[in-house]
Amino acid sequence: MFKKIGPGVLVAAAFIGPGTITTCTLAGVDFGFALLWAMLLSILTTVVFQEMAARIGIITQQGLAASFRNELKRPWLRNLMILIVLSAIVIGNTAYEAGNIGGAVLGMEAILGGSPKFWYAWVIGGCAFSLLYVGSYKVLEKIFISLVMLMSISFVLAAVITKPAIGKILAGLFIPSLPEDSLFTVVALIGTTVVPYNLFLHASLVSEKWKSAKDLKAVRWDTILSIGLGGIISMAIIITATANQQLEVVNGLDLAKGLEPLYGQTARYFMGIGLFAAGITSAITAPLAAAYVAASCFNWKDGLRSYKFRLVWGFILLVGVVSQSFQIRPIEIIKFAQVANGLLLPVICIFLLWVVNKSSLMGAYKNKRWQNVAGILLLLLIIVLGIKSIWSVIGNV
């Protein structure tokens, strides 16, 4: 079964980036175990919608944006949707890339010690460039499986050495609560896990790896296992952060530094390695997803080695490296963008539910009733949380 693991691992690696680590750290520092239920809900929501996106990918053998383009018959609506997708994914991922590379730089700083060097960003960018330029899905898959396993070991061990109370963890997971001023963090946790560009990335990668509807069982196994593992990593970060609630956090490295006096350099190295792996995986998947979206929107047929495909991810990677080289670390902007993605997500999910219910496109593999019920309930929950968050912000202003 493990030989069938693939695209789901890239999706998990994509949402466990520096922004996720920062958000989970803040959740643990500010609210302890109380918001573990929100992360569990985020993972369930991610599995439901990513399975739909993956199913579209394997049945139609095309990307999600291409499905939207082909199914929207009115030109003005089709063009509007393409514009929204390109703006949210391609432009958005360009903005995120400096933060992704910055996360890997922070990880190198934790491992090697001292202040970050100018060339750290270029080393990370060079590694990402090399892997993307090879243009082989199988190579990317193997690298990402290794990096996700590295993150798993790093963050879970960091959580274990803090000796958390199991009873409190279970209460946080299965007894929902909303501590004062926690709503914004709940929305941020959902926004940082249920990432719109992962829906597009997943559909495209599934169509690269699998070519027959007979493999749908393997697709589902891959999705559930990989995203579940990503959820465990995120929860481990929250648990680790809970061990030091007096810590003032700006980024994930602060958590590594804060744990060092209590648990020795081992904790710092675990967090540093995990942060580096999270940063470099996101630094690769963000440009890759943007390139897949552009190819799907503009109907490019040449694949990963096309010069147009490489031009998109190369531009995003270059912008990220140059921005990070000037020591720009927009942590607050990243957090705000994650919340914005959490609020924007319903629009993408509505289109996804519409496409996956079209008999003309999906045939016998369209959504069953229970899948629609689950999707709509989770969608309504996301909308309610988003409205509450906006109302809360307006009230504070």
Side-chain angles (χ1 to χ4, degrees), residues 36 52 98 169 183 192 205 215 269 284 293 300 335 379 391:
L36 283 173
M52 292 182 196
I169 291 175
L183 185 59
T192 197
L205 291 176
D215 293 312
Y269 289 136
I284 296 170
V293 166
W300 299 339
K335 287 190 293 182
L379 180 61
W391 186 256

Side-chain angles (χ1 to χ4, degrees), residues 121-166:
W122 291 94
V123 169
I124 293 162
C127 291
F129 180 90
S130 300
L131 289 171
L132 287 169
Y133 192 80
V134 169
S136 169
Y137 167 74
K138 290 184 178 180
V139 171
L140 286 174
E141 184 181 278
K142 290 177 181 178
I143 294 294
F144 272 79
I145 289 173
S146 301
L147 289 172
V148 168
M149 293 308 298
L150 185 63
M151 277 193 282
S152 304
I153 294 168
S154 299
F155 288 126
V156 171
L157 284 178
V160 168
I161 64 174
T162 64
K163 299 179 180 178
I166 303 300

Side-chain angles (χ1 to χ4, degrees), residues 43-285:
I43 294 303
L44 293 174
T45 305
T46 303
V47 168
V48 169
F49 286 110
Q50 292 292 161
E51 188 277 335
M52 292 182 196
R55 190 158 19 109
I56 290 173
I58 192 172
I59 299 302
T60 67
Q61 286 296 295
Q62 63 185 9
L64 197 55
S67 297
F68 291 159
R69 189 189 68 237
N70 295 336
E71 294 304 313
L72 291 171
K73 303 304 181 183
R74 296 180 182 274
W76 69 268
L77 185 58
R78 180 171 59 246
N79 293 335
L80 178 61
M81 187 60 187
I82 289 174
L83 180 63
I84 291 172
V85 169
L86 286 173
S87 299
I89 308 300
V90 178
I91 298 175
N93 285 9
T94 303
Y96 284 137
E97 188 65 0
N100 294 331
I101 294 173
V105 168
L106 289 175
M108 291 183 71
E109 182 183 343
I111 298 166
L112 302 177
S115 59
K117 306 296 188 296
F118 175 84
W119 49 269
Y120 282 4
W122 291 94
V123 169
I124 293 162
C127 291
F129 180 90
S130 300
L131 289 171
L132 287 169
Y133 192 80
V134 169
S136 169
Y137 167 74
K138 290 184 178 180
V139 171
L140 286 174
E141 184 181 278
K142 290 177 181 178
I143 294 294
F144 272 79
I145 289 173
S146 301
L147 289 172
V148 168
M149 293 308 298
L150 185 63
M151 277 193 282
S152 304
I153 294 168
S154 299
F155 288 126
V156 171
L157 284 178
V160 168
I161 64 174
T162 64
K163 299 179 180 178
I166 303 300
K168 292 183 178 179
I169 291 175
L170 293 175
L173 275 172
F174 301 112
I175 304 177
S177 63
L178 271 179
E180 188 177 356
D181 298 326
S182 66
L183 185 59
F184 187 84
T185 304
V186 169
V187 177
L189 286 171
I190 294 173
T192 197
T193 308
V194 193
V195 184
Y197 83 72
N198 274 347
L199 297 170
F200 295 89
L201 179 64
H202 203 177
S204 296
L205 291 176
V206 163
S207 65
E208 290 270 355
K209 183 177 177 71
W210 288 294
K211 302 298 180 183
S212 169
K214 295 178 181 179
D215 293 312
L216 190 55
K217 184 178 179 181
V219 171
R220 287 170 172 155
W221 165 258
D222 170 52
T223 301
I224 294 169
L225 183 64
S226 299
I227 295 173
L229 180 59
I232 291 172
I233 294 171
S234 299
M235 290 177 190
I237 298 168
I238 295 174
I239 292 167
T240 304
T242 300
N244 197 341
Q245 292 189 286
Q246 305 303 315
L247 187 65
E248 183 176 346
V249 174
V250 176
N251 54 53
L253 183 59
D254 293 329
L255 179 57
K257 291 177 178 176
L259 291 173
E260 190 173 357
L262 297 173
Y263 306 105
Q265 285 194 330
T266 304
R268 177 186 173 94
Y269 289 136
F270 283 151
M271 287 297 297
I273 291 170
L275 191 57
F276 172 78
I280 198 165
T281 52
S282 294
I284 296 170
T285 53

Side-chain angles (χ1 to χ4, degrees), residues 1 21 45 70 75 126 209 223 272 276 284 318 332 365 382 384 388 395 397:
M1 292 298 291
I21 293 174
T45 305
N70 295 336
K209 183 177 177 71
T223 301
F276 172 78
I284 296 170
L318 180 62
E332 295 301 323
Y365 301 99
I382 291 172
V384 169
K388 283 190 174 182
V397 172

Side-chain angles (χ1 to χ4, degrees), residues 297-317:
C297 284
F298 296 118
N299 202 25
W300 299 339
K301 298 293 188 182
D302 299 332
L304 276 73
R305 299 185 181 182
S306 144
Y307 81 92
K308 295 176 183 177
F309 195 93
R310 286 172 170 169
L311 189 63
V312 175
W313 64 250
F315 172 77
I316 293 173
L317 190 58

